[in-house]
Amino acid sequence: MRSAGAHAMELAALRRRLEQLSEPGAGELPGNELEPLDDISKLVDLPEPDVEEARRVLDRTAVLKLNGGLGTSMGLTGPKSLLEIKPGKTFLDVIAMQVLSTREKYNARLPLILMNSAGTREPSLELLKRYPDLADEVIPADFLQGREPKITADGRPAEWPANPELEWCPPGHGDIYIALAVSGMLDLLLAQGIRWCFVSNADNLGALPDARIAAWLANENIPFAMETVLGTAADRKGGHLAWRAGRIVLRESAQVPDGDDSFGDVGKWRFFNTNNIWFDLERLKSLQDADPAAPLLPLIVNRKTVDPADAASTPVIQLETAMGAAIGSVEGARAIEIPRSRFAPVKTTDDLLVVRSDAYVLDDGGEMIPEFTTTPPVVSLSKEFYKLLPDFDTRIPSAPSLKECTSLEVDGDVTFGKNVVIRGDVKISGPKAVPDGEIL
Ligand code: UPG
């Protein structure tokens, strides 16, 4: 269902990125050009809408999940969202449970839509067949994000005859605005009376549709809102908000110039992007009517080799953008501070061990209920555990109890037996086999 003018929109966006690449300091946001933000609105201060108001606004909201990523950093070949996080339950199962239970609670239509890439589409849609009630009668369960050529040092599309597929890359999740339009999904949603969407990373199981935020957008006519948390030292991969020359910017870790160590100053850059983003689809449509490549997003330059598995292959750059960066170009965009419970990203096997353990219990509505007392346990596993298969899964076939653990550091060749309990701060060095039932 590609819309008329689809190619023109994709080309306009690519042309814009190529122009940005030729500007001095392309893709960089140095710390000395940025200023911190003052306080922002807080979710705890927003009023709870009454049931009818909540139903009305959620009935016109779609839940979108960014699902284009493969779990390559964890050694997987398939979609990261098909990783098991509790016995028999993958990220996508939990997302389906969350949407079904929110629909039931508010009696709202609330379609679930995935933004897939070619590699994630088929297995993800297959898994969703487990939930026949989830499918909307009219709105498809997904749309595809675009792709663009990898670029060589002399600015040409990379050639890799050995595997031409590797000549292409995804343009980052900032592609969502263009992909919604060119797939025809944007027009379809608007025609179906869906006015807002709530987008989040498929790996963040804290991102439940929240009626207070939906009603806030509707009542204050907010075109775009980003949910942020107060950053901690653990928030290394991602982006924070700042001011730059009178405009708000999202600075991604990939935009920090070499030798600039300002990114990790969480006392200064307090607001960390959760990538839980809400926007008004009508406003997006009118921005794109005026400029097909809208909203304007700063460039991210990702340096890799054409074959990521072969460090000796041709060096390339991948031109990317981040969805949340639209906060800097959409007039009237807002940021809101939310509690940590809405942000539980799983970026590494460290994070995976925490969600697999009893530190979180999965309830029937797909909510991950924290069982720890104050803060989640901080897990740090050495390189023997980075890849899920076979390393992590053979070493930790069943997650230890972590609900009373503050920090766990595991270094070297360690394997865990069943029903191991970790309490407080624990460090384990290998070689070691922790026996069944051990309390540490
Ligand atoms: N994704 C796509 N298509 C792409 C790239 C990514 O669908 O081309 C998906 C991916 O599957 C995942 C999500 O987007 O679900 C986020 O990607 P990921 O690489 O895990 O996160 P980052 O891009 O590193 O960081 C994002 C935001 C950052 C924020 C962080 C919170 O850009 O600002 O702090 O998410 O986890």
Side-chain angles (χ1 to χ4, degrees), residues 142-219:
D142 83 332
F143 61 101
L144 269 190
Q145 72 171 106
R147 58 179 203 163
E148 69 184 23
K150 298 178 183 175
I151 316 257
T152 58
D154 55 357
R156 299 156 68 86
E159 285 182 44
W160 199 245
N163 184 356
E165 266 307 299
L166 292 178
E167 294 169 357
W168 298 88
C169 61
H173 41 72
D175 184 44
I176 185 171
Y177 305 107
I178 302 290
L180 270 170
V182 303
S183 63
M185 184 61 90
L186 178 58
D187 285 342
L188 176 66
L189 290 173
L190 290 171
Q192 287 292 308
I194 303 290
R195 164 97 190 258
W196 297 277
C197 70
F198 170 44
V199 194
S200 58
N201 297 347
D203 67 25
N204 175 17
L205 294 176
L208 280 96
D210 187 293
R212 282 169 299 176
I213 306 180
W216 181 56
L217 258 81
N219 293 334

Side-chain angles (χ1 to χ4, degrees), residues 68-117:
L70 298 170
T72 28
S73 61
M74 292 194 213
L76 303 171
T77 49
K80 184 170 151 191
S81 59
L82 294 195
L83 237 169
E84 220 173 67
I85 51 126
K86 293 287 181 196
K89 297 272 184 281
T90 67
F91 285 99
L92 268 187
D93 285 288
V94 176
I95 289 167
M97 289 160 72
Q98 291 178 347
V99 169
L100 287 170
S101 79
T102 314
R103 276 186 197 169
E104 196 181 307
K105 179 169 171 196
Y106 294 102
N107 187 24
R109 181 174 179 183
L110 204 72
L112 169 67
I113 306 165
L114 307 179
M115 181 171 88
N116 277 319
S117 58

Side-chain angles (χ1 to χ4, degrees), residues 16 33 37 68 90 214 263 277 279 288 302 330:
R16 156 110 23 100
E33 291 179 12
L37 258 65
T90 67
F263 189 84
I277 303 282
F279 54 88
Q288 291 181 336
N302 198 347
V330 176

Side-chain angles (χ1 to χ4, degrees), residues 309-326:
D310 176 4
S313 62
T314 317
V316 291
I317 51 177
Q318 302 185 180
L319 304 183
E320 298 179 5
T321 56
M323 169 176 70

Side-chain angles (χ1 to χ4, degrees), residues 340-362:
R340 268 280 153 178
S341 53
R342 293 185 56 73
F343 186 48
V346 177
K347 302 287 186 202
T348 61
T349 46
D350 297 353
D351 304 328
L352 184 66
L353 185 59
V354 177
V355 295
R356 277 191 178 175
S357 81
D358 61 359
Y360 290 95
V361 171
L362 180 66

Side-chain angles (χ1 to χ4, degrees), residues 66-69 80 115 145 170-173 201-203 237-239 250 252 272-275 322 343 345 347:
L66 299 176
N67 192 46
K80 184 170 151 191
M115 181 171 88
Q145 72 171 106
H173 41 72
N201 297 347
D203 67 25
K237 187 174 184 292
L250 169 70
E252 295 285 332
F272 192 82
N273 172 27
T274 60
N275 234 24
F343 186 48
K347 302 287 186 202

Side-chain angles (χ1 to χ4, degrees), residues 117-135:
S117 58
T120 60
R121 170 171 253 178
E122 216 184 276
S124 301
L125 295 182
E126 188 58 37
L127 186 128
L128 288 184
K129 287 188 186 153
R130 288 183 189 169
Y131 303 89
D133 292 349
L134 198 61

